[in-house]
Amino acid sequence: KPSGSRTGGGGGGSRRRQPKGAPGPNLELTAKRIEDLTRELFAVHDLNGNNLLEEQELVSLNEKIAVLHHGQEANTQEVRAKYKALFRAKLDPHGQPVAYAAFRSYAMEVLDGLDPDPEAQELILEQFVAEARSACQALPKSLPPSLLGDPEEQLGVSIEDLIELEAEADEFMPLPGSIDMHSVGPGIATIGRDGL
């Protein structure tokens, strides 16, 4: 998988503070940047490069993010269950792979819930991309087939065990590949101290 962005967006530092008196933000450019970053986030999640997001890819990436945040004390079983429930509640109820459109729809729902301001959404997406890229760098270059096998078998969690988590999935859950963010006021979002 190439290390660069397919969209040329890149997750780092393309925003510049505008001088006083300068015209406001270009909403068309911001909308394009949000789309590019959302595509890049999807591409980072697509660990096997098949242009689909698979349940196990989402689980694996977020498990790595938890370990990056919390070290070996990270409760990876909880992370696995949480992201399996999220995938089934928000992307596909049967755990089947989803295309970009489904991922994008959920990403926009999460962004709108965090902050309706397009410039803030762009910054949030930049952070999500950076976080997911960091986790990907921690993943092995080639994933063993067992990592992308039957998620239920891999996780040791049955669908029945997830009923309670799935009910909670209607509440806000972080964007796949993201750190936990909590809205603290209009236009402001902070990173949660507990990471995922």
Side-chain angles (χ1 to χ4, degrees), residues 48 50 54 67 77 79 89 107 112 118 124 146 158 194:
N48 66 8
N50 68 351
E54 298 175 23
V67 171
Q77 190 68 21
V79 171
D112 288 341
I124 292 166
S146 63
S158 71
D194 295 326

Side-chain angles (χ1 to χ4, degrees), residues 47-118:
L47 300 176
N48 66 8
N50 68 351
N51 292 317
L52 296 171
L53 176 62
E54 298 175 23
E55 186 175 88
Q56 188 57 40
E57 291 172 323
L58 179 69
V59 169
S60 295
L61 188 61
N62 281 284
E63 187 176 20
K64 283 293 184 186
I65 289 171
V67 171
L68 289 174
H69 278 276
H70 304 287
Q72 295 305 316
E73 309 89 52
N75 184 344
T76 55
Q77 190 68 21
E78 183 179 304
V79 171
R80 289 177 193 143
K82 176 180 181 177
Y83 283 92
K84 181 175 180 172
L86 181 144
F87 192 97
R88 290 177 184 236
K90 298 293 186 175
L91 297 170
D92 183 88
H94 304 291
Q96 295 300 308
V98 297
Y100 173 71
F103 178 87
R104 182 188 184 284
S105 176
Y106 175 63
M108 294 302 113
E109 177 186 325
V110 170
L111 289 171
D112 288 341
L114 289 171
D115 196 315
D117 179 56

Side-chain angles (χ1 to χ4, degrees), residues 114-126:
L114 289 171
D115 196 315
D117 179 56
E119 285 190 308
Q121 290 180 350
E122 180 182 355
L123 291 171
I124 292 166
L125 274 170
E126 285 176 352

